[in-house]
Amino acid sequence: MDTVLPPAGDEARTQRPRIKLARREDRSSPAEAPFPGPVKFGKVHPRAGEPRGLPQVEQAVPDTVLDLADFDGLAVRAASLRGDDHRWTGKPRQDSLGLWTVSRQDRPDLLVAAVADGVGSRSLSHLGSSWACRLFREQVAAHAAEVLVQDDIEDLGRRIVERIAAAMIERAGREGLERRELSTTLVGAAVELTPPPGPRRCFLVRVGDSTAYLLREGGFGEAFDDARDDEEIVGSATAALPTSVGRVQTAVETVGADDVLVLCTDGLVGPMRNDEVRDRLVRCWSGPVPGALEFGWQVGFRARSFGDDRTAVCVWGRR
């Protein structure tokens, strides 16, 4: 039987199926409109489209990370985005995040979430922030029988952080890295995966200026409720793992059916001081739970004077 070969050259190209595109004047339906670009608050520099370099480091990390999970009674969305400043200068994203579950006997399993912000002046802080997140999960697993059981949460938080710092220092020595170059903040949460309608308690630990909020009844409230004056806030901003831990803060919250727990780095904390930014996030996160891409778009707004990396993990309580 003769073999029939496809036509070659221009004749072959003309026979390929083509997708028929609507004419520009026909694209009037909102459903067909292109997805909007990031929201901008004020004049932003550098402008979108200007040249930016890839990170010039041996162990680079992705520019953007999106993650999600859905449980019976909880929904989780996470995004970590390289900021305009680091894109402009060709530096890696120094923020990190992580989501895991930890099993427990005779108690609800735990959703473990961690967010870390590598110190900008340190050359390996993008590695340090990643290590800190993974080590937080390991330490929660090691202390799973005590989490949300032990009354002295400050002691538990301090022990977890001290062991994270020790593990980072040990690994730095093993790999021949300068430990201070790994400097990073950390905020972590362990949330009980209690089936609805039961309460979903949450254990929180914080080092440095990454923090946690609870969105409840149309407003963001601080999860770490101990009062701090301006001097203490400045001091807290310099605290970092593994060598300058300073003060370890702990808290226990309950994520209700209409609440949203927010873990975030200061790349989000800063612009949230603006009423317009804060109100927009309240509207975005008080409605239906977004998909992963939509959540990344919500976090990825651009704001004047705020070009840092931006990372957030949101945990929605559901009925």
Side-chain angles (χ1 to χ4, degrees):
M1 183 176 63
D2 294 336
T3 301
V4 179
L5 298 176
D10 294 338
E11 186 179 356
R13 286 194 289 271
T14 59
Q15 293 185 11
R16 292 174 182 168
R18 296 187 178 185
I19 299 174
K20 185 177 180 181
L21 300 177
R23 292 177 297 176
R24 183 172 298 276
E25 59 269 20
D26 294 337
R27 300 176 195 171
S28 56
S29 170
E32 299 177 16
F35 198 77
V39 178
K40 297 181 182 180
F41 296 95
K43 185 178 180 181
V44 178
H45 180 82
R47 296 185 299 274
E50 291 185 337
R52 303 180 184 118
L54 290 171
Q56 299 302 306
V57 294
E58 182 177 353
Q59 294 174 294
V61 295
D63 177 279
T64 301
V65 171
L66 300 175
D67 206 350
L68 62 81
D70 291 285
F71 303 94
D72 187 13
L74 288 178
V76 189
R77 302 292 183 265
S80 185
L81 314 174
R82 187 161 62 130
D84 278 342
D85 290 349
H86 284 163
R87 290 193 181 117
W88 182 252
T89 57
K91 293 183 178 179
R93 173 176 52 87
Q94 295 172 324
D95 281 8
S96 295
L97 62 78
L99 298 176
W100 302 269
T101 54
V102 169
S103 299
R104 299 197 294 180
Q105 291 184 345
D106 303 321
R107 292 188 179 276
D109 291 346
L110 298 172
L111 163 69
V112 179
V115 164
D117 181 0
V119 174
S121 60
R122 299 300 183 180
S123 62
L124 300 176
S125 63
H126 58 294
L127 299 182
S129 63
S130 177
W131 293 6
C133 288
R134 292 197 297 271
L135 286 166
F136 178 74
R137 182 265 169 204
E138 292 180 12
Q139 287 303 313
V140 169
H143 294 85
E146 301 173 70
V147 173
L148 296 168
V149 176
Q150 179 175 310
D151 292 333
D152 191 350
I153 62 169
E154 292 185 2
D155 175 67
L156 177 59
R158 168 61 67 172
R159 283 189 284 126
I160 286 175
V161 168
E162 286 178 348
R163 291 176 185 181
I164 291 173
M168 291 180 68
I169 290 172
E170 189 276 333
R171 181 172 176 179
R174 190 171 68 248
E175 298 188 10
L177 305 176
E178 171 54 51
R179 62 184 67 174
R180 291 187 181 276
E181 295 303 309
L182 299 165
S183 296
T184 181
T185 70
L186 175 69
V187 59
V191 187
E192 288 180 324
L193 291 172
T194 308
R200 303 166 192 91
R201 295 183 303 152
C202 174
F203 171 69
L204 295 155
V205 180
R206 174 193 187 193
V207 175
D209 57 3
S210 295
T211 192
Y213 298 104
L214 202 64
L215 174 55
R216 175 178 289 162
E217 297 179 352
F220 289 103
E222 292 274 0
F224 298 96
D225 56 5
D226 51 330
R228 298 179 297 162
D229 57 29
D230 290 341
E231 183 178 350
E232 288 179 311
I233 291 174
V234 172
S236 177
T238 62
L241 294 162
T243 59
S244 303
V245 173
R247 185 183 184 190
V248 177
Q249 293 179 271
T250 57
V252 171
E253 287 284 358
T254 299
V255 182
D258 298 313
D259 297 338
V260 186
L261 174 69
V262 181
L263 309 182
C264 57
T265 60
D266 66 345
L268 184 62
V269 173
M272 280 180 65
R273 297 190 181 101
N274 179 286
D275 291 342
E276 188 180 0
V277 173
R278 190 170 57 252
D279 291 347
R280 182 179 181 86
L281 292 178
V282 168
R283 293 194 302 272
C284 287
W285 295 343
S286 296
V289 177
L293 293 177
E294 184 180 5
F295 181 74
W297 175 80
Q298 292 169 351
V299 174
F301 62 85
R302 306 179 72 213
R304 181 175 58 191
S305 302
F306 294 103
D308 197 4
D309 298 344
R310 188 174 301 148
T311 300
V313 173
C314 287
V315 181
W316 278 263
R318 302 196 292 190
R319 299 184 187 279

